[in-house]
Amino acid sequence: MWGNTDDPWVCPECNSFHFSDSFFNNSYEINSNEENSFSSLSSSLIYQNDTSASDESPSESDVFDQLRELKRDIPMQFTCAYLNINSLRHKFCLIEDLLSSSLVEMLFIAETKIDSSFPDAQFRVNDYHFWRADRNQNGGGLVAYARSDLVCDRKCNLEFNSVESICVDLFVNNRKWLITGLYRPPSMSNSEFSKDFIDTFDKASTKYDNILMFKK
C-alpha cells in the first residue's frame, strides 16, 4: 500500500503520474502516449502555480502562455489545469479571462480563501459549471470549473473527509472518469493525509476504472 512504503508510486502502464513521499509531486506533466491508460486525457495539463508564499498574483502571461502552447499543440484534446491562486476574490478577473479564452475544459483553484458570505454568483463564469468547497477567509478552500457542454456531476460522497476536495464524474472520449481536486494544508501530517487518501481512493476505485487526482 502507498502509505506503508517510502518508494514513489508510478503508474505501471503510463509511467507518468508520480507520487512523492507526500503522495503527489508539485509539478506539471503532459502525458501524450496514446496507448496508455490515460489516453482519453492524454494531453491534460497539470499546472500547479504555488503563490502561497507571496501576496503576488500568479503571472497571467506565464499561465496563459503555458495553456496556449498546449492548446496549439493538441487543440482537440481535453485539458484540465490546477492553480493555487491564494485568494480568489482578489484574482477572479484573471480566472475569468483564462476561462473565457477557452484554454481549458476543466479548472481547479486552490486556496480560494472564501466562505459562505461570498455568493456563488460572484465567481460564476458563463458557459462553465461551478462547484466550491470552502474553509474560511484566512486559508484553504477549493473551487472547480468545468465546461457547461460536458456531461458531468459532482460526487460529494466520494470526497475526502479531512481536506477540501471536489470530485467530478464526467465523460471524456466516451470513457467515464472521476477527476478530483484537493487542497492539503501544509500543517497536515503525512500519516493523517495518507489514511484519508487511501480510504477515499479505495472507495472511489470500486466505482471507477479511471481516476485522476490533483493537489497542491
Side-chain angles (χ1 to χ4, degrees):
M1 296 178 68
W2 298 335
N4 297 326
T5 178
D6 293 328
D7 297 330
W9 183 89
V10 180
C11 173
E13 296 185 26
C14 66
N15 195 29
S16 176
F17 295 95
H18 303 271
F19 293 81
S20 66
D21 59 355
S22 62
F23 295 96
F24 295 84
N25 284 329
N26 292 333
S27 61
Y28 77 86
E29 300 181 16
I30 299 174
N31 175 8
S32 58
N33 184 350
E34 290 293 335
E35 296 180 355
N36 63 49
S37 61
F38 290 92
S39 60
S40 65
L41 290 172
S42 61
S43 298
S44 294
L45 174 68
I46 306 174
Y47 185 95
Q48 297 176 308
N49 186 1
D50 185 359
T51 62
S52 58
S54 168
D55 290 333
E56 295 297 321
S57 299
S59 169
E60 179 182 357
S61 60
D62 287 349
V63 174
F64 280 31
D65 287 347
Q66 290 271 356
L67 292 170
R68 284 195 184 99
E69 181 179 352
L70 182 67
K71 274 300 184 187
R72 183 179 63 247
D73 293 341
I74 36 84
M76 302 305 294
Q77 293 293 330
F78 181 94
T79 304
C80 184
Y82 179 110
L83 301 175
N84 185 312
I85 198 67
N86 192 17
S87 184
L88 178 60
R89 64 185 183 273
H90 298 307
K91 300 164 188 173
F92 176 67
C93 289
L94 293 175
I95 299 305
E96 188 174 30
D97 287 346
L98 190 156
L99 293 173
S100 298
S101 300
S102 300
L103 297 178
V104 296
E105 281 69 49
M106 191 170 188
L107 175 66
F108 291 100
I109 302 171
E111 280 205 279
T112 52
K113 297 184 178 179
I114 58 175
D115 58 24
S116 59
S117 65
F118 296 86
D120 285 358
Q122 185 172 344
F123 305 110
R124 288 194 180 277
V125 177
N126 290 339
D127 301 320
Y128 279 85
H129 299 291
F130 173 73
W131 303 280
R132 58 195 282 180
D134 300 340
R135 188 190 305 174
N136 56 51
Q137 295 188 36
N138 299 315
L142 191 74
V143 301
Y145 294 90
R147 217 172 57 190
S148 59
D149 61 342
L150 293 172
V151 178
C152 56
D153 185 39
R154 183 175 182 177
K155 297 297 182 183
C156 296
N157 61 316
L158 297 177
E159 293 175 357
F160 284 64
N161 292 319
S162 60
V163 297
E164 293 91 47
S165 62
I166 297 173
C167 289
V168 179
D169 170 303
L170 79 164
F171 282 83
V172 179
N173 293 351
N174 296 317
R175 294 177 64 185
K176 187 176 182 180
W177 286 80
L178 183 71
I179 302 184
T180 300
L182 59 146
Y183 175 73
R184 172 191 172 181
S187 59
M188 176 176 284
S189 67
N190 282 347
S191 59
E192 182 182 1
F193 177 71
S194 65
K195 183 181 186 306
D196 196 5
F197 178 87
I198 292 168
D199 290 345
T200 303
F201 184 85
D202 285 349
K203 182 168 58 175
S205 63
T206 65
K207 301 177 182 295
Y208 293 86
D209 293 327
N210 305 298
I211 300 173
L212 188 59
M213 293 186 178
F214 297 78
K215 76 167 278 291
K216 171 185 173 294

